[in-house]
Each structure stands twice: as structure tokens, then as C-alpha cells.
Amino acid sequence: MRDVAVVGIGLNDRWGELWEVSLRDLVVQAALAAIKDAGVDHVDSMYVGCMSSGLFTGQEHLGALMADYLGQAPVPATRVESACASGGVAVRQGFIEVAGGLADIVLVAGVEKMTDVTGDRATYALGTAADEEWEAFNGATFPGLYAMMAVAHMARYGTTCEQMACVAVKNHENAMKNPVAQYHDRITVAGVLDSVMVADPLHILDCSPITDGAAALILTTPELAKKLKRPDVRIIGTGQASDTIALHSREDLTALDAVTRSAGAAYNMANKKPRDIDLCEVHDCFTIAEIMVTEALGLVEKGKGGPAVAAGETAPGGRIPVNVSGGLKAKGHPVGATGVAQVAEIVAQLRQSAGDRQIEKARLGLAQTMGGTGASSVVHILEAK
Amino acid sequence: MRDVAVVGIGLNDRWGELWEVSLRDLVVQAALAAIKDAGVDHVDSMYVGCMSSGLFTGQEHLGALMADYLGQAPVPATRVESACASGGVAVRQGFIEVAGGLADIVLVAGVEKMTDVTGDRATYALGTAADEEWEAFNGATFPGLYAMMAVAHMARYGTTCEQMACVAVKNHENAMKNPVAQYHDRITVAGVLDSVMVADPLHILDCSPITDGAAALILTTPELAKKLKRPDVRIIGTGQASDTIALHSREDLTALDAVTRSAGAAYNMANKKPRDIDLCEVHDCFTIAEIMVTEALGLVEKGKGGPAVAAGETAPGGRIPVNVSGGLKAKGHPVGATGVAQVAEIVAQLRQSAGDRQIEKARLGLAQTMGGTGASSVVHILEAK
């Protein structure tokens, strides 16, 4: 296997409710930004992660659409989907193609255009990440499913609503320094607890938003990265795992087995341990998710995710900064784009080019994204060489 | 790059309107058949090709669903989509992972459950393969788009409705020998021409049907194939290409550039020429498509696809048998399954185990599938070693 470097990163200008930008415009803007950043004059292959463009916009066949509107046809272009982990899977497919020697320069993009449907249709579309026959058909929604996980975590470990609110407060604070982020407003723990209840114990400010956005990367070999005179940031570990799609089949509602296993595979490939990681971007679709993921990744002790965030351990100045970008909660969560944007943030940090958000001396970063209630998870570990 | 062998093939028992079999049942049935055929006791990774399970069944996240219902979690499982070429893309991703050395045994599946929606919703879902903003939104449907290509081909090359009807007659005749096929009824040229007009000049019997179905393969290395004592059938060439997603952007409505380019890449990798091919399975979503594809693959001269089928050149006893399985037209077209089932048919033929359908001395076969009006195309060339 060959080593794989990330030589280009790009996001569309601003994430949010973008009525003036179409699905194709979003992905093209991000892809052009990544191509420009990399300085490549062609790509050999493309992947685009997208969860549900059919339901959100009536457009499937996104690979061909992207190749066409980038002016890159006849380059092979494939869309991958793993619900909310679609972007992470796209990064992994790009990695596999470069590492395996089948392509030298691969464009990896992620996109979701979610605001062109009325509210209940977005909830329906997101529900297709759950088990349709056993969960969604019977009325379960994602806030409801994560609320069950939160209740279980609170019952077993004493996690509190205040600790969950701390995740939202931290990530909104982080997003203040991210020009792309959907939200630029500080919130307080009291404000979160006072916001409307969506699914007890999750308030609206415990939930990531509906977002339009796109992100893109250029992957290549370290040799070509050197020729392109780009900073040498490499993907040194990748891991992917699956779990039961329905929550009721899990042995333990407080654990995310696919996250632990995908992280294990990535740590193993990278020959690194959780304590080596300088910062990470994780899948905080709900505040309880960030708490459970930090535990599943081995960054904090099992059951201690709540106290850790409340103590500031996961804040930018803390022991292990989590979601410096603002995370899904405040940067926004255009589903298919999220996993790609996480890697873009880690690359910016490892290049020491993250501006006001820069974590000092960041050398090793981790990106984790998951689908549904954790039925799929993808982890990448990146290192500045 | 490592060589890649196909050691297992499987389809669910029967393709058609299967009200008693769910999406997950379909893919599990096909996958178990392939696993049994291969005799493997585990898989390292999975891909599933599916075009639009969100619109057809309200279920995305198919990779996780498949891993879960196969009892294979935590194995990595990814869904890929390229409209009607989704199955072909799944085969290619499996090939890339084995060839690149990232996995030794990969399950590749394809599935579509299309009949759980009312008729106009199926047409809407299939329309998401076209350019939503310029074609589908304005009322273009796939029969309409292919009708335009047919009219152009008729105008330039003198192709006739009778010649197009010959494709349907041949493929229905072939399907008589395929127990899995949706249709087991002989039709005549007069019958096709007398059937209801869908989009002039395409009659209903020029169109492939709406189908529920699934197919699966097990890919591995030749070394493991030998240990498993399976016939040594290898994928010796793969090619994928893209083209403009909208038909109006093409320079020539009578050409399928992505088919020609994907075939060129596959011929090149395999070091074979069109005249070396013993049989092929191609994407006859409409009768005109088979005619245009046989030309684009270089199997017949440009503009001569119509006369070739009328002369029996592409029949089982002819110069180059095309769609011996019955093709999309008569075997059925469960969109995501089609590209995987094509490869399964070629493997059965190269194993000399295709029963009544067996083409004598078949050693080299080609499978081609495309998305939309040819905005994406994937070609695989297989050889019996």
C-alpha cells in the first residue's frame, strides 16, 4: 500500500440555509476550492458522499452530475452513501484508490442540500438512516432515538442535562471563530436548558441543525504532494465498522461499538494510541453523541464524557480539543459534507493554518463520523510529517 | 495490483413484482447464495449498489442494513450509487479493494425494491438519474429521453422500429431459459410494434420493466480462489467513465461516449480487443440502448447495431451473443442489482454452468452497465483461466 497525502481542502463559502445556491453549485464551489488549494491540473477519479439527494432534491446520479458540472467528464465519478457517515466513507474510498495504486489524484467531495424541502420532509429523509421497518415506520425520529441513548447514559453514569448543554455551549463558542459556520452566536447552559424540548431530555439546542453545505479534498501520494509543494499532511490510519441498524438490537444503549471498532482499526493502522491525538473532530449530531463518541474513541474514560466536557477538557485549551470547527452542532450538519469537512478542518490545523481556531503544535488529528445511531462509523487519523 | 477472481455468485430466487419479499430480504437472499457458492466463512468488506432506496422504500444506510441482516456487523459496508450503473460501480469498488490489497474477500451486492410505490412515483424515482434542473423538473422521463436518442439514431443511420423490436424479441427468447427472469413469454416483432406507445418511437415492449431483485458476488484473490476450490474466473479489466448528465449537452445524440471510454479502459487493462469477446451482457434499458451500446463497445460497426440484431448476430448462436440472460428487458431491471447480475451471468457462462443458456466455449465475457442516458458507464471484462 502507498502512503496517502491530503494536498487540497475546500468548503463552499458559508454553511447554512442557502436558498440561492443549488446542490450542484455547492459541490462545485467546494471542489474548485480544493482543486485550487492543491494546485492540480487534473484528477484521475472522484467520489462524492451524499446521504439522500433523491429525497432532498430529486437528484441521484451525483457522481456524473459533479463530473459534468466541474467540466471533468469523462473522469470516473462515484457517489457513496452511509447515511450521516457518507462523507467519511467518501474519504475512505479515495484513500483506498490512492493507497491501492489505482489512481494518483482523487477528488473527494461531500454535499447535502437539505433546506429545499418543508420541515417534516427533512425529518423523514433523515429518518431513512434508521431501520425503516422497525424504527422509522413506527414513528421513531432521530431526536427520539438519541434521547433514548441519552436517558440510558444518564441512568447508568449520572450524566446530566447540564453536561450535555456544555457540549453545545463549547461548540457554539468554537464556531464564533469559523467563518464558514452556520451559527455565530454564543449560547449558555441556561439557554440550552431553557430552549424548547424536542425529545426529552434533548432540547432544540442539543440538536445539530438542517444545513446546506459542501466540502472537498484532494488526495494523492506524498511524492506528488512534494512536487505540488503542498504541506505534507497524511492520512495514516483509516477504519470503518458497522453495527445493528436498529437501536433495539444493541446489547448496550450507552456504547457505540462501531465507533470503538472503527477507531481501533485506525489507531492500529496508524500505530497510535488515543493519548497521542492532539485534537479531533467528532460526530456531535446531538450533544449526547459527542459525549458517547469521546468515550468510544478512548479519549475519556467510559462514563466520564459528561464531566470531561463540563470541566473544559475538550475545549480548545483543554487536554484534548474536540470539534474546534464548531462541530455539527454549530458549524452545521449538511449530512454528506460533514465527514469530508471534518478531515478538511484537521488538515488545516495540522498545516497550522486554522487562523483564530489554531490549536498550538497540533501534529496528530482524528476525524470520526457515524451514520444513524452509530450503525456505521468511519475514523481517519492524520499526521503532519 | 493483485489479480481478482470471482468465486461466488448469487441472485434471489426470482425477479419480478415481489410483494412478499422486502428490500432487506432480497439483498440477504442474494448475498447468502453468493457466500454459499463461494464457500467462504467470512468477508472482510462489503459493497452494495442501489440507486434510490430512499425514494423507493424510505430506507437509506443500506450498507449497515445489509451487514446487520447478514449477521456480519462489524464488517465495513458501503452503499454506492451511480443511478442505473450502481451495480457496476459496486463491482468496481470491490475490485479496487481486492486489487489494491486492502481486503482479501469482498462481498459485492446490488439491490432495488421498486414495486412498493405507485406507478408515477417509480417514474419519478427513475427520473432522478437525469439532470433534475434541466430535464426531470421540466417533465422529461426516461422513455422520453431514450426516444430522442432513438429518433436521432433512426434519422442518421436508418435504424428501424422493427430492428429495435428484434432486441426485445431476442431478449425475451433468451429469458425463456433463465429461471430467475421476470418474463417467461415469447413475443414477436409484430407484437412489439402493436404494443402501446410510451414515447414515440418506443413502445411499452421496447422498455425494460420495473423489478424487485438482488444479486451478489464474492471477490477474492486467485490464491484464495484456489484454496476454496472454485473455478478460476477473473476480472481482468475494469473501466468507468462519465459524460454530461443532460442529453442536450451531448455533441452527438447517437453516441454513448462514456460507454466507449469505459470499454476502452477495460479493453486496455485486459489487453483484449472487441473481437476477442465471446459474449456480453449490456444495458438494454430500452431496445435502442442495446443497439447503441453494441456499437459503442466496438462489437458492431457504428450505425449497424440495428441490422446486426435483425440478422441474428447478437443471438445465442450468432457472432457475438448479447444478453443471453434475457437482459434488462426480460430478465428484469432492479436498477442497483443489474450491474452485479450481469457479472454473475458472465461468471456462470465462463464456468460453463449456465445450463440451457450456456454459450459453447465461452472463455471471455464483458459486462456493461450505464446510468441515466449514459452519463456514467462501467465495463468489466472477465476471463476463465
Side-chain angles (χ1 to χ4, degrees):
Chain A
M1 285 205 327
R2 306 194 294 183
D3 287 337
V4 178
V6 185
V7 291
I9 58 176
L11 274 68
N12 67 298
D13 293 344
R14 180 77 191 263
W15 283 14
E17 190 167 354
L18 308 175
W19 288 13
E20 74 288 6
V21 190
S22 67
L23 174 74
R24 65 191 66 188
D25 289 340
L26 284 173
V27 71
V28 164
Q29 286 175 11
L32 287 178
I35 288 168
K36 187 177 175 190
D37 181 43
V40 291
D41 59 3
H42 74 286
V43 299
D44 299 323
S45 173
M46 301 186 197
Y47 291 92
V48 54
C50 183
M51 174 179 170
S52 200
S53 55
L55 286 166
F56 280 119
T57 66
Q59 178 75 69
E60 309 280 15
H61 214 180
L62 284 202
L65 184 81
M66 181 169 75
D68 183 9
Y69 277 81
L70 268 174
Q72 290 297 307
V75 165
T78 296
R79 178 251 190 127
V80 295
E81 182 267 323
S82 190
C84 323
S86 298
V89 168
V91 175
R92 184 171 159 91
Q93 293 306 128
F95 175 91
I96 288 173
E97 197 160 341
V98 175
L102 285 99
D104 290 331
I105 305 175
V106 176
L107 170 67
V108 173
V111 66
E112 210 82 44
K113 174 69 179 170
M114 304 173 74
T115 66
D116 282 356
V117 292
T118 52
D120 64 329
R121 295 304 294 174
T123 301
Y124 172 78
L126 291 168
T128 63
D131 188 315
E132 199 275 330
E133 294 185 19
W134 294 98
E135 294 179 328
F137 179 82
N138 295 295
T141 62
F142 266 92
L145 293 167
Y146 272 93
M148 286 193 269
M149 297 160 86
V151 167
H153 207 272
M154 292 166 83
R156 182 171 305 175
Y157 298 112
T159 303
T160 65
C161 288
E162 287 75 10
Q163 290 166 351
M164 290 192 274
C166 286
V167 173
V169 171
K170 166 180 71 70
N171 291 351
H172 271 254
E173 184 64 36
N174 289 349
M176 296 294 289
K177 298 179 177 171
N178 188 346
V180 171
Q182 182 164 5
Y183 296 127
H184 290 139
D185 54 342
R186 288 191 172 86
I187 59 174
T188 62
V189 169
V192 175
L193 299 181
D194 199 37
S195 67
V196 68
M197 187 69 83
V198 174
D200 193 2
L202 301 177
H203 302 78
I204 187 80
L205 287 176
D206 285 295
C207 309
S208 60
I210 304 292
T211 311
D212 302 328
L217 309 170
I218 301 288
L219 308 187
T220 187
T221 61
E223 293 70 32
L224 276 172
K226 198 173 177 184
K227 278 192 193 164
L228 291 163
K229 297 180 182 164
R230 301 306 297 151
D232 193 353
V233 175
R234 297 197 197 166
I235 298 176
I236 60 168
T238 177
Q240 181 181 352
S242 57
D243 197 355
T244 69
I245 188 165
L247 204 52
H248 62 243
S249 302
R250 306 270 169 86
E251 284 183 24
D252 180 358
L253 287 191
T254 69
L256 290 166
D257 188 58
V259 178
T260 302
R261 288 178 185 270
S262 56
Y267 287 134
N268 200 38
M269 181 185 284
N271 195 23
K272 299 289 181 188
K273 295 202 175 334
R275 65 168 177 272
D276 300 326
I277 305 294
D278 293 321
L279 84 164
C280 60
E281 292 282 309
V282 308
H283 199 90
D284 58 322
C285 48
F286 298 92
T287 51
I288 185 64
E290 180 172 308
I291 288 172
M292 291 175 65
V293 168
T294 53
E295 296 174 7
L297 292 172
L299 299 172
V300 302
E301 200 181 324
K302 186 88 179 93
K304 302 292 189 193
V309 64
E313 289 184 37
T314 55
R319 183 172 60 80
I320 172 67
V322 174
N323 285 330
V324 177
S325 69
L328 285 60
K329 175 67 200 83
K331 184 177 58 182
H333 183 26
V335 175
T338 285
V340 181
Q342 289 178 326
V343 173
E345 175 72 15
I346 296 294
V347 171
Q349 292 281 348
L350 300 188
R351 285 178 178 176
Q352 313 294 318
S353 69
D356 294 344
R357 301 191 305 284
Q358 185 64 48
I359 300 296
E360 271 187 58
K361 300 179 184 167
R363 300 280 307 163
L364 199 70
L366 179 151
Q368 178 275 337
T369 184
M370 62 191 176
T373 49
S376 61
S377 174
V378 184
V379 170
H380 286 99
I381 297 174
L382 292 97
E383 187 172 32
K385 289 286 179 180
Chain B
M1 283 203 331
R2 305 194 295 183
D3 287 336
V4 179
V6 185
V7 290
I9 58 176
L11 275 68
N12 66 298
D13 293 343
R14 181 77 192 263
W15 283 13
E17 190 167 355
L18 307 175
W19 288 12
E20 74 288 8
V21 191
S22 67
L23 173 74
R24 65 190 68 187
D25 290 339
L26 284 173
V27 70
V28 163
Q29 287 175 9
L32 287 179
I35 288 168
K36 187 178 174 189
D37 180 43
V40 291
D41 59 3
H42 75 285
V43 298
D44 299 324
S45 173
M46 302 185 195
Y47 291 93
V48 54
C50 183
M51 174 180 170
S52 200
S53 55
L55 286 166
F56 279 120
T57 67
Q59 178 74 70
E60 311 279 14
H61 214 180
L62 285 203
L65 184 81
M66 182 169 76
D68 183 9
Y69 277 81
L70 268 173
Q72 290 298 307
V75 165
T78 296
R79 180 249 190 127
V80 295
E81 182 268 324
S82 189
C84 324
S86 298
V89 168
V91 176
R92 184 172 159 90
Q93 293 305 317
F95 175 91
I96 289 173
E97 197 160 341
V98 174
L102 285 100
D104 290 331
I105 305 176
V106 177
L107 170 67
V108 173
V111 66
E112 211 83 42
K113 174 70 179 169
M114 305 173 74
T115 67
D116 282 356
V117 292
T118 52
D120 64 328
R121 294 305 292 175
T123 301
Y124 173 78
L126 291 168
T128 62
D131 187 315
E132 199 274 330
E133 294 184 18
W134 294 97
E135 294 179 327
F137 179 81
N138 295 294
T141 62
F142 267 92
L145 293 167
Y146 272 93
M148 286 193 268
M149 297 160 85
V151 167
H153 206 273
M154 293 166 83
R156 181 172 303 176
Y157 298 113
T159 303
T160 66
C161 287
E162 287 76 10
Q163 291 166 350
M164 290 192 275
C166 287
V167 173
V169 171
K170 167 179 70 69
N171 291 351
H172 271 254
E173 184 63 35
N174 289 349
M176 297 294 289
K177 298 178 179 171
N178 188 346
V180 171
Q182 182 164 4
Y183 296 129
H184 290 139
D185 54 343
R186 289 191 171 86
I187 58 173
T188 62
V189 168
V192 175
L193 299 180
D194 198 37
S195 67
V196 67
M197 187 69 84
V198 174
D200 194 0
L202 300 178
H203 302 78
I204 187 82
L205 287 176
D206 286 295
C207 309
S208 59
I210 304 292
T211 311
D212 302 329
L217 309 170
I218 301 289
L219 308 188
T220 187
T221 61
E223 294 70 32
L224 275 172
K226 198 173 177 184
K227 278 192 194 165
L228 291 163
K229 299 180 181 163
R230 300 306 296 153
D232 193 353
V233 175
R234 298 197 197 165
I235 299 176
I236 60 169
T238 178
Q240 181 180 352
S242 58
D243 196 354
T244 68
I245 189 164
L247 204 53
H248 63 242
S249 301
R250 306 269 169 87
E251 283 184 26
D252 179 358
L253 287 192
T254 70
L256 290 165
D257 187 58
V259 178
T260 302
R261 288 178 185 269
S262 56
Y267 287 134
N268 200 38
M269 181 185 284
N271 196 23
K272 300 288 179 187
K273 295 204 176 330
R275 65 169 178 271
D276 300 326
I277 304 294
D278 293 322
L279 84 163
C280 60
E281 292 282 311
V282 308
H283 199 90
D284 59 321
C285 48
F286 298 92
T287 51
I288 185 64
E290 180 171 310
I291 288 171
M292 291 175 65
V293 167
T294 53
E295 297 173 6
L297 292 172
L299 300 172
V300 302
E301 200 182 324
K302 186 89 178 89
K304 302 292 189 192
V309 64
E313 288 184 37
T314 55
R319 183 171 61 80
I320 171 68
V322 174
N323 285 329
V324 177
S325 70
L328 286 59
K329 175 67 199 83
K331 183 177 58 181
H333 182 26
V335 175
T338 285
V340 180
Q342 289 177 326
V343 173
E345 175 72 15
I346 297 293
V347 171
Q349 292 282 346
L350 300 188
R351 286 179 179 177
Q352 314 294 319
S353 69
D356 294 344
R357 302 192 303 284
Q358 185 63 48
I359 300 297
E360 270 186 59
K361 299 178 184 167
R363 301 281 307 165
L364 200 70
L366 179 151
Q368 178 274 337
T369 184
M370 62 191 176
T373 49
S376 62
S377 175
V378 184
V379 170
H380 287 100
I381 297 174
L382 292 97
E383 187 172 33
K385 289 287 181 181

